[in-house]
Amino acid sequence: MQLKPIEPDETQNDVENGNGSSPQQSQPADPYVSNNEFFNPEQEFDVTAGDMFGNPIPNESQLNGQTMGQTVGVSGGPSYDPFSTNGAVYNPNAGMEQYDNPGNYGLNEEDLRPRKLSKKEFYISPRNRKDRDRIVISSIVVIIAAIVDLIRTDFWLSTFKREIEMVNNLAEQLGVAGEYMIDTDKIMQTQIIISVFLIALGLGILIFKSRACAITGLVLTVIYFIAFLVQNHQFRFYYTVIAFGYATLATISFANSWKEYEENGDWKREWKRTW
């Protein structure tokens, strides 16, 4: 809006110095009126001159009638854009049509359906956390047990090397070397073969989630455990038996879950378009 110009008030000093019109016309200055060129809210507005951009201001009937009511949503009918000066109809969804069509994103109907996961992706998904933890833990236990058993065998053979040589010499002198002689090389070679075989089974379980590796390791360790218990009256490889047992249950459960996912997984369900 344009402001009406207001002449500055004459002070007593202006009158005394001859700059004013007359003492009768001089009035004291209004402290609430500013005579500078900046906007002063106390000054009167020229309503007929329009707003600060030169656009006409609607009259009172327009403000209280259809325009104001439709702008704020009081009365029915179309809503007018409050930021438009030409009375354009306000459409809140204008320009949003491009977001309603998935084709504008380069997507087709096939992309909107759930994708089938690969076996690796299915394995690491949260739904298989229980089986995955069992497979990982059991395979690591098998590998560590095989390595520890190999180190332990080499340690005991090295520690009692002198005693073993003494027993072998005594067996030769008594002529019973074939029955009581201790062959340390053969024991070490056998232990290396067993440890390598167990490590291979553990890696097969860990990498390939193989049920065959788990079941094979379970059967062999059970046989070895029973034979060693009967022959030497000692418990050995019992922790490996437990680890292979957990691995067998976990791999079978994972295989069943993967089969169920392939046959009746959510990737086969048809999703209906809602636009």
Side-chain angles (χ1 to χ4, degrees):
M1 297 182 182
Q2 297 181 357
L3 303 177
K4 291 182 179 181
I6 297 178
E7 298 295 333
D9 296 332
E10 297 178 354
T11 62
Q12 186 67 26
N13 294 332
D14 295 335
V15 175
E16 293 177 357
N17 295 332
N19 297 328
S21 57
S22 64
Q24 291 77 11
Q25 296 177 354
S26 62
Q27 297 178 357
D30 189 353
Y32 299 99
V33 177
S34 176
N35 295 327
N36 54 25
E37 297 178 356
F38 297 98
F39 172 75
N40 188 355
E42 297 295 336
Q43 292 179 338
E44 297 181 359
F45 293 100
D46 188 1
V47 181
T48 60
D51 57 9
M52 59 185 301
F53 300 103
N55 298 320
I57 299 177
N59 53 30
E60 184 176 359
S61 61
Q62 292 176 334
L63 292 176
N64 297 329
Q66 181 180 7
T67 304
M68 192 63 180
Q70 292 176 348
T71 302
V72 299
V74 176
S75 61
S79 299
Y80 292 93
D81 191 354
F83 301 99
S84 176
T85 58
N86 56 3
V89 177
Y90 174 67
N91 183 9
N93 297 323
M96 301 299 294
E97 293 82 2
Q98 57 176 331
Y99 302 104
D100 296 334
N101 187 4
N104 296 329
Y105 295 97
L107 301 176
N108 51 32
E109 189 173 353
E110 294 295 332
D111 296 329
L112 300 177
R113 297 178 181 177
R115 179 180 61 87
K116 179 183 178 182
L117 300 176
S118 63
K119 191 172 184 179
K120 182 179 180 180
E121 294 173 338
F122 181 77
Y123 172 73
I124 63 177
S125 61
R127 71 183 73 182
N128 296 310
R129 180 178 179 180
K130 184 177 181 180
D131 295 336
R132 182 174 64 251
D133 292 344
R134 288 183 176 182
I135 290 174
V136 172
I137 294 174
S138 60
S139 59
I140 292 176
V141 169
V142 169
I143 294 173
I144 294 176
I147 297 174
V148 170
D149 196 65
L150 178 63
I151 296 174
R152 184 181 61 179
T153 302
D154 181 68
F155 172 76
W156 288 116
L157 292 178
S158 300
T159 302
F160 296 100
K161 182 178 180 181
R162 180 180 299 180
E163 288 78 2
I164 293 173
E165 291 178 353
M166 185 183 299
V167 172
N168 290 338
N169 294 332
L170 183 61
E172 290 179 358
Q173 294 176 3
L174 298 176
V176 290
E179 184 178 357
Y180 294 100
M181 180 173 287
I182 301 174
D183 190 354
T184 57
D185 294 336
K186 184 178 180 180
I187 294 174
M188 195 64 193
Q189 292 176 1
T190 304
Q191 186 60 47
I192 291 175
I193 294 174
I194 295 175
S195 297
V196 171
F197 186 71
L198 292 178
I199 292 174
L201 293 177
L203 292 176
I205 296 172
L206 180 62
I207 298 174
F208 302 105
K209 296 83 186 172
S210 174
R211 290 170 293 175
C213 292
I215 295 174
T216 302
L218 178 62
V219 172
L220 292 179
T221 51
V222 168
I223 294 175
Y224 186 79
F225 172 78
I226 295 174
F228 199 84
L229 179 63
V230 172
Q231 184 177 359
N232 300 317
H233 304 284
Q234 294 180 0
F235 292 97
R236 193 175 183 183
F237 275 93
Y238 60 90
Y239 39 84
T240 311
V241 174
I242 297 174
F244 274 117
Y246 271 102
T248 301
L249 296 177
T251 51
I252 292 176
S253 177
F254 173 71
N256 295 334
S257 300
W258 171 248
K259 182 179 180 181
E260 177 67 20
Y261 175 75
E262 283 188 319
E263 295 178 354
N264 304 314
D266 52 3
W267 62 277
K268 284 190 174 183
R269 299 174 186 173
E270 296 290 341
W271 283 19
K272 296 182 181 180
R273 299 178 61 178
T274 57
W275 54 84

